[in-house]
Amino acid sequence: FSLCQTVEHGFPHQPSALGYSPFLHLMAIGTRSGAIKLYGAPGVEFMGLHEENNTVMQIHFIPDQCQLVTLLDDNSLHLWSLKQHGGASELREEHRFTLKGPPGSPPSATQITAVLPHSSREVLYLGTESGNIFVVELPSFRVLEDRTISSEAVLQRIPEDNCNRRSCELVEALREHPKNPDQILIGYSRGLIVLWDLQNNKVTHHFLGSQQLENLYWQRDGSKFISCHYDGSYTQWPVSSDNRQPEPLENTVPYGPFPCKAISKIYWQTTKNGLPYIIFQGGMPRASYGDRHSISVIHGSQQTAFDFTSRVIDFFIIFSSEPAAEFDDPSAMVVLAEEELVVIDLKTAGWPAVHPPYLASLHCSAITCSHHVSNIPLKLWERIISAGSKQNVHYSSMPWPIDGGTNIAPDPPQRDLLLTGHEDGTVRFWDASGVCLHLLYKLSTVRVFLTDADPNDNMNTLGEDEWPPLRKVGTFDPYSDDPRLGIQKIYLCKYSGYLAVAGTAGQVLVMELNDEDAEHVVDHAEADLLQDQEGYRWKGHEKLKTRDGPVRFEAGFQPFVLVQCQPPAVVTSLALHSEWKLVAFGTSHGFGLFDHQQKRLVFVKCTLHPSDQLALEGPLSRVKSLKKSLRQSFRRIRRSRVSSRKRRGGSGNASEVQEANAKFDQDTLQEMELAPVQRKIEARSAEDSFTGFVRTLYFADTFLRDSSRHCPSLWAGTNGGTVYAFCLRVPPAERRMDEPVRAEQAKEIQLMHRAPVVGILVLDGRSTPLPEPLEVAHDLSKSPDMQGSHQLLVVSEEQFKVFTLPKVSSKLKLKLTALEGCRVRKVTVANFGSCKTDDYSENDLAVLTNLGDIQIISLPFLKLQIRYPCIRKEDVSGIASCVFTKYGQGFYLISPSEFERFSLSTKWLVEPRCVVDMPEVTTNNHVHSKPGVENAARKSSPGDYGEDERKSGRLMEHALLNDEKVLKEIQSTLEGGR
């Protein structure tokens, strides 16, 4: 055993910054909590965390290096490096630095607003709110004070009649000249833009915009640049070789003439066919479209305003980064929105979206439940992928454009599925085999029901003349048509392909996999769980209305029967036995068994206690029972007195207070039934008043009546500590459709401590858990031992108890520590393999408690093996969302959009392992050789070098061409045609 938190799946919570390295082909995302995540080719992932936990404001990769700089909202700069260690790359923080001004200067003097890593890789230029630009050395972060570009120095070098001595306020943008690294473009917020000569410390050109500046972008050849502005306009400026005062070539308000929102970022990309791509964020008409989050792409007569489902944080364009290339030729646009990542293919007609292999928006509709299935058979896997590919026809077929680094992790040993149920009635099937959680297929249950929204509505349809030409992109859609559609329980049988899903309004759907679209009627059945009770009235929501007649379903899982629980309360437990063709379901009122082959209800059992009025309120009601309110009031009074006693510890009348309190306690306790000692520790949660609430259902073929004959059985555990056992008579296959399935209650066990039952398990004669349905038939498990006596394990929130079968006499138990208020929240049987030898493995219980601890408990002797702190005890939603796998891994939500994956097994470990190698560096003005990296140097034009650099370039070239190893490498490259 070993606890290892291995990888975070999904979309980073509250992203705040985006960066991209065209050199490494890596993307970086920063978050409000100070995390930084790097992504490349699928499987290439790195994560770092700033100690300060401050918001990451900007991310900048150092040109041609495996390094990047982050700027946080506390104005600190951090240098990160990718370094190889133990055969794989790691992300490490190297240095941190905060820019300090002279004593007495205001914070704005050094508040960084723009960062430019220079292509020399030796310095960073830092623009500030005061208009000054500081230069710091890399990697030491030493301020080079003699190279500071002050706003006063800039103003002194501009003719007074041109700028009216307007102050150079905040630095909005810093851009290096694409052809001349000795010149940088400086943009100030008031509209002044200057081209600064770094060698001679002078302004070579200045440009006066009439509007507040937002951003700048150089054209590839350096002959022009584009400025974008607060009023929704952009302007092209020529940069002439002489010093004439330049006039703007063109000022455009793309969505004018009415007032427009700011254009905050712009790209101007050249192409072979001469028509540029103009891509910009914002600029929409304020009055009608001020609330839209848009990025517009214009290419000749084509124009689309991509309308995102959440606020755009930042975006970048992937284009040709080869210095020798004449044109940009953009291939993709990568957009980081607040709730998802969207990539647009700019090469394919219609500019379709690209299906992302990672960074999935798990919370496109809120996750309501999860279900993990290990070791999926290849046939089922292929059928699910096939159904998913039919849904993805509108996606681009281009390969994933962010492809830096190499994934060196071993291939996953098996195919695993993680199924997530969502508030909008959908179930998503994720490939959870490896580091990348990838969407395979999406199932919607909405078509079975009548809702306000028509599933045929298409949000993307546009009239031909519609302006602006908006097109919705992205999958994030947190709004559910009806909260009753929410999925609460999922059960998939990987051998038969049967799937059962249950929802918020008592709906249970049984589905089977169909490789083709089909139209059919869904059979309906009602299960009245209150049939023997008088005088009860459900006060909660109504059931969902169903569609009459045939319903058309797309390829994939298609429902063939709907069981509707009455009252339509939330389904709290679900079990499916695909061999017997039975599905069991439970709510806060009782449980039922349905034969989905004959499509007939076998039985229902009401578990409602006469005092359980709260169970009839429904989940949307705020009413609490009087009994519960009184109990809570007493507890509150006692707690407040205890705390006041502590506060008044030294007061003179302490003895009187204690006497009065003791009498009050005694009177109160006489009125209240005293619970066993371990139940005094912690007040029960709101659902604990539902004693009839069915927490768990379990099918088993075991000895229930006598020790000579085993039979199918159904077990149910409730919130009040009751276990019900039913004997089932399932007709043999040849008479399965002719004879009904019969059920008869055989046992009812009441746990003395009355704690909620969270798990039931039967162990065979070898003390091994019974195999899953059809597992033996597929030769994936040994047949259960029916010779030795079976044992029943009942797990409640407070203890584990083993009973003998069929007599149900107590054999042994393990109590959880009462002093800490520890309670079981999740329990699963997991198989733990040895990392030393392949021929040893054992079954144990993996247990998650309300304190966020994970305990491993041995079977059948219930010995605590080890205990790990895993989830913070305050993280209630994380604990509630946790799901264990069959082989000792687990997932839990660390935010609405991210799963943390962990492993308890030393053998089964899924974690990123990747290498980022330094590619050879060939730029238009530098040739570098990195130690440990083989570079074939290419000759650059002498005009790009200083005298010293020319000498060193010739020396390097001479050294390389006299190196036999390098010559052989060049020769083999030429001969191999690589």
Side-chain angles (χ1 to χ4, degrees):
F1 311 113
S2 168
L3 176 69
C4 181
Q5 301 204 331
T6 55
V7 66
E8 291 174 7
H9 293 305
F11 184 76
H13 185 50
Q14 296 182 323
S16 55
L18 178 69
Y20 178 68
S21 168
F23 174 67
L24 298 173
H25 291 218
L26 292 180
M27 168 178 70
I29 294 177
T31 71
R32 285 196 219 167
S33 57
I36 176 169
K37 300 187 177 190
L38 270 62
Y39 299 92
V44 176
E45 293 186 15
F46 302 94
M47 181 180 165
L49 189 64
H50 296 89
E51 280 181 21
E52 297 80 359
N53 287 355
N54 287 56
T55 299
V56 180
M57 302 299 288
Q58 294 182 37
I59 302 172
H60 300 273
F61 282 87
I62 309 299
D64 306 340
Q65 294 284 303
C66 289
Q67 289 184 314
L68 63 152
V69 168
T70 54
L71 171 67
L72 305 191
D73 66 351
D74 64 355
N75 208 39
S76 62
L77 285 165
H78 302 253
L79 179 67
W80 297 80
S81 293
L82 282 168
K83 296 208 166 165
Q84 291 203 16
H85 176 73
S89 298
E90 292 179 354
L91 182 65
R92 293 182 187 168
E93 185 175 359
E94 300 283 329
H95 297 286
R96 64 187 64 188
F97 162 76
T98 303
L99 188 63
K100 300 253 188 330
S105 61
S108 63
T110 53
Q111 184 69 44
I112 300 168
T113 55
V115 179
L116 172 65
H118 194 261
S119 62
S120 65
R121 302 184 300 288
E122 293 166 358
V123 291
L124 287 177
Y125 290 90
L126 307 175
T128 61
E129 272 186 13
S130 61
N132 296 329
I133 297 162
F134 297 89
V135 186
V136 296
E137 195 175 48
L138 284 175
S140 64
F141 280 137
R142 184 169 64 90
V143 180
L144 305 175
E145 292 181 4
D146 57 322
R147 292 173 65 176
T148 299
I149 306 168
S150 69
S151 53
E152 289 79 14
V154 170
L155 283 171
Q156 283 167 12
R157 290 164 174 78
I158 296 172
E160 194 170 330
D161 55 335
N162 277 349
C163 74
N164 304 322
R165 304 300 297 169
R166 75 161 77 197
S167 74
C168 295
E169 276 184 355
L170 183 148
V171 177
E172 282 287 358
L174 293 170
R175 298 284 179 265
E176 185 180 332
H177 194 292
K179 297 295 182 186
N180 182 357
D182 291 333
Q183 291 185 338
I184 62 169
L185 199 60
I186 306 168
Y188 298 94
S189 61
R190 287 252 180 125
L192 172 67
I193 304 163
V194 299
L195 188 60
W196 182 265
D197 184 333
L198 297 170
Q199 290 293 332
N200 303 308
N201 281 339
K202 67 172 188 178
V203 173
T204 62
H205 298 75
H206 69 276
F207 312 84
L208 283 171
S210 57
Q211 290 292 333
Q212 183 175 316
L213 180 74
E214 291 288 320
N215 221 319
L216 297 169
Y217 186 79
W218 276 108
Q219 287 192 24
R220 191 179 188 93
D221 62 0
S223 63
K224 302 188 204 69
F225 69 87
I226 319 295
S227 62
C228 56
H229 302 274
Y230 182 75
D231 66 341
S233 67
Y234 64 84
T235 306
Q236 285 189 72
W237 302 87
V239 180
S240 55
S241 51
D242 54 33
N243 287 332
R244 282 183 297 121
Q245 171 57 31
E247 290 296 322
L249 289 174
E250 183 186 1
N251 184 55
T252 309
V253 185
Y255 294 113
F258 300 108
C260 293
K261 290 187 76 178
I263 293 179
S264 54
K265 187 171 183 177
I266 191 163
Y267 281 83
W268 184 287
Q269 302 274 281
T270 56
T271 61
K272 290 187 183 73
N273 68 7
L275 291 171
Y277 278 84
I278 305 162
I279 302 167
F280 56 87
Q281 178 185 344
M284 284 277 142
R286 276 186 187 278
S288 309
Y289 300 96
D291 59 342
R292 301 299 179 99
H293 314 290
S294 72
I295 294 178
S296 298
V297 180
I298 303 170
H299 179 57
S301 60
Q302 280 180 277
Q303 179 166 348
T304 300
F306 292 100
D307 186 10
F308 296 88
T309 55
S310 53
R311 186 171 63 91
V312 173
I313 304 296
D314 200 355
F315 76 102
F316 62 82
I317 305 299
I318 296 176
F319 56 91
S320 173
S321 56
E322 282 296 318
E326 195 178 341
F327 303 102
D328 294 311
D329 282 326
S331 58
M333 173 171 76
V334 180
V335 183
L336 177 67
E338 201 162 36
E339 306 291 355
E340 64 186 321
L341 183 84
V342 178
V343 178
I344 303 295
D345 175 1
L346 297 175
K347 288 282 190 192
T348 305
W351 300 331
V354 182
H355 195 51
Y358 47 69
L359 283 172
S361 182
L362 297 175
H363 64 317
C364 39
S365 170
I367 293 176
T368 46
C369 66
S370 308
H371 175 65
H372 187 275
V373 191
S374 298
N375 214 359
I376 302 290
L378 180 60
K379 180 70 176 164
L380 176 64
W381 187 261
E382 289 173 343
R383 292 177 72 190
I384 290 170
I385 288 175
S386 170
S389 64
K390 291 173 184 173
Q391 296 176 334
N392 294 335
V393 288
H394 57 283
Y395 280 109
S396 165
S397 58
M398 88 178 296
W400 184 244
I402 302 161
D403 56 2
T406 308
N407 178 17
I408 58 169
D411 289 336
Q414 60 186 32
R415 294 170 293 274
D416 287 358
L417 273 180
L418 180 66
L419 280 67
T420 52
H422 298 263
E423 195 179 44
D424 62 356
T426 57
V427 177
R428 285 170 169 80
F429 289 63
W430 305 93
D431 176 357
S433 317
V435 170
C436 296
L437 194 69
H438 179 60
L439 183 65
L440 298 178
Y441 163 69
K442 183 178 98 172
L443 159 71
S444 176
T445 61
V446 179
R447 283 186 176 275
V448 180
F449 306 103
L450 286 167
T451 60
D452 295 337
D454 182 352
N456 298 317
D457 283 352
N458 188 349
M459 300 292 284
N460 290 337
T461 48
L462 274 179
E464 283 184 23
D465 302 323
E466 183 150 341
W467 189 261
L470 286 163
R471 185 175 118 204
K472 268 228 180 287
V473 282
T475 58
F476 179 70
D477 182 11
Y479 307 108
S480 172
D481 296 333
D482 192 326
R484 295 174 297 172
L485 289 166
I487 305 296
Q488 297 295 334
K489 296 287 169 188
I490 305 169
Y491 192 100
L492 171 68
C493 173
K494 63 187 178 187
Y495 304 113
S496 64
Y498 282 116
L499 172 71
V501 297
T504 304
Q507 70 271 31
V508 180
L509 286 161
V510 187
M511 314 188 187
E512 57 187 341
L513 196 50
N514 188 345
D515 298 329
E516 302 297 331
D517 292 11
E519 191 169 0
H520 61 255
V521 174
V522 178
D523 288 298
H524 295 170
E526 284 219 344
D528 182 4
L529 297 169
L530 294 181
Q531 57 185 8
D532 300 328
Q533 306 289 329
E534 293 294 325
Y536 283 108
R537 189 170 63 84
W538 170 248
K539 302 169 190 171
H541 49 238
E542 293 179 2
K543 67 175 186 178
L544 284 156
K545 291 187 173 69
T546 53
R547 290 180 186 274
D548 296 325
V551 182
R552 182 153 194 83
F553 297 103
E554 54 188 23
F557 285 94
Q558 298 172 352
F560 62 89
V561 69
L562 164 68
V563 184
Q564 178 61 58
C565 298
Q566 287 290 14
V570 173
V571 177
T572 57
S573 52
L574 185 69
L576 177 75
H577 200 295
S578 44
E579 195 170 350
W580 302 337
K581 306 287 196 297
L582 298 174
V583 61
F585 48 88
T587 72
S588 51
H589 306 116
F591 59 96
L593 180 66
F594 186 81
D595 176 351
H596 65 74
Q597 186 164 356
Q598 290 189 12
K599 297 176 184 169
R600 132 178 205 284
L601 191 65
V602 179
F603 78 89
V604 291
K605 168 75 177 173
C606 181
T607 55
L608 198 63
H609 192 269
S611 63
D612 271 356
Q613 285 298 319
L614 196 57
L616 292 162
E617 301 292 353
L620 308 178
S621 169
R622 297 272 177 260
V623 182
K624 288 184 178 178
S625 68
L626 178 64
K627 187 177 174 185
K628 183 161 181 67
S629 300
L630 281 171
R631 199 181 321 139
Q632 286 181 332
S633 301
F634 279 132
R635 283 180 180 142
R636 235 186 343 263
I637 292 165
R638 291 170 66 191
R639 272 202 299 271
S640 64
R641 285 205 324 280
V642 169
S643 57
S644 63
R645 244 181 270 167
K646 286 176 183 169
R647 283 197 301 273
R648 296 190 302 238
S651 63
N653 60 350
S655 59
E656 293 171 37
V657 171
Q658 282 176 355
E659 213 173 294
N661 286 341
K663 188 172 187 313
F664 184 87
D665 284 352
Q666 199 174 354
D667 295 345
T668 307
L669 292 176
Q670 281 173 359
E671 295 297 317
M672 295 168 65
E673 182 189 346
L674 182 58
V677 64
Q678 64 267 43
R679 293 187 67 203
K680 287 200 297 183
I681 307 307
E682 179 194 274
R684 288 202 173 278
S685 62
E687 67 182 25
D688 290 348
S689 59
F690 296 94
T691 54
F693 182 118
V694 180
R695 291 286 285 266
T696 185
L697 290 162
Y698 177 70
F699 285 110
D701 186 355
T702 188
F703 300 93
L704 199 51
R705 291 199 181 283
D706 56 55
S707 53
S708 58
R709 283 178 302 168
H710 56 91
C711 67
S713 62
L714 173 66
W715 300 76
T718 73
N719 227 39
T722 309
V723 177
Y724 299 95
F726 279 75
C727 268
L728 308 177
R729 187 190 168 280
V730 181
E734 64 273 11
R735 299 198 302 277
R736 185 64 180 81
M737 286 304 289
D738 305 325
E739 296 178 17
V741 175
R742 300 195 184 280
E744 190 181 344
Q745 185 168 334
K747 308 280 184 197
E748 183 175 331
I749 308 163
Q750 178 62 59
L751 300 179
M752 295 296 288
H753 58 293
R754 296 183 181 274
V757 177
V758 294
I760 299 172
L761 184 68
V762 172
L763 306 174
D764 71 5
R766 290 188 294 265
S767 298
T768 303
L770 294 183
E772 290 178 30
L774 296 173
E775 194 171 8
V776 175
H778 284 74
D779 296 327
L780 292 163
S781 172
K782 288 181 185 172
S783 295
D785 184 336
M786 293 300 191
Q787 304 305 314
S789 59
H790 285 199
Q791 299 171 82
L792 170 71
L793 170 64
V794 177
V795 182
S796 77
E797 281 192 356
E798 294 172 7
Q799 70 177 25
F800 302 78
K801 199 161 187 176
V802 175
F803 299 89
T804 59
L805 286 175
K807 286 184 177 177
V808 193
S809 54
S810 178
K811 190 175 177 184
L812 77 150
K813 65 181 175 184
L814 170 69
K815 283 189 179 181
L816 290 192
T817 312
L819 299 173
E820 296 168 355
C822 185
R823 296 182 180 279
V824 176
R825 284 287 176 255
K826 306 269 174 171
V827 61
T828 303
V829 176
N831 184 269
F832 290 90
S834 166
C835 59
K836 299 279 168 53
T837 174
D838 287 337
D839 56 7
Y840 179 77
S841 69
E842 64 183 51
N843 290 308
D844 296 285
L845 290 175
V847 179
L848 175 69
T849 72
N850 61 330
L851 303 178
D853 288 344
I854 288 179
Q855 303 183 12
I856 310 287
I857 293 167
S858 70
L859 285 173
F861 301 113
L862 302 183
K863 299 290 184 195
L864 178 63
Q865 302 296 297
I866 200 154
R867 178 177 179 170
Y868 298 109
C870 182
I871 309 173
R872 289 182 307 108
K873 66 180 178 184
E874 298 82 15
D875 185 4
V876 179
S877 60
I879 293 169
S881 66
C882 182
V883 57
F884 289 111
T885 79
K886 201 177 171 182
Y887 294 98
Q889 296 185 62
F891 301 81
Y892 66 93
L893 288 171
I894 49 172
S895 74
S897 59
E898 288 169 292
F899 274 114
E900 174 79 65
R901 186 182 192 130
F902 62 88
S903 180
L904 302 165
S905 166
T906 51
K907 184 174 182 181
W908 297 89
L909 206 62
V910 174
E911 59 182 343
R913 187 167 168 79
C914 40
V915 171
V916 176
D917 290 316
M918 276 283 286
E920 66 177 44
V921 185
T922 57
T923 66
N924 60 340
N925 51 339
H926 296 281
V927 177
H928 308 276
S929 181
K930 191 85 175 159
V933 181
E934 293 181 8
N935 279 346
R938 294 186 187 137
K939 194 169 181 181
S940 297
S941 64
D944 290 334
Y945 287 85
E947 192 58 41
D948 291 337
E949 288 168 315
R950 266 205 303 278
K951 284 177 188 168
S952 66
R954 282 198 294 270
L955 281 169
M956 186 198 301
E957 183 180 319
H958 179 76
L960 283 171
L961 293 177
N962 281 296
D963 185 332
E964 193 176 338
K965 187 180 173 186
V966 173
L967 284 171
K968 280 183 178 173
E969 174 71 10
I970 294 169
Q971 185 180 354
S972 69
T973 303
L974 292 170
E975 287 173 356
R978 283 186 277 141

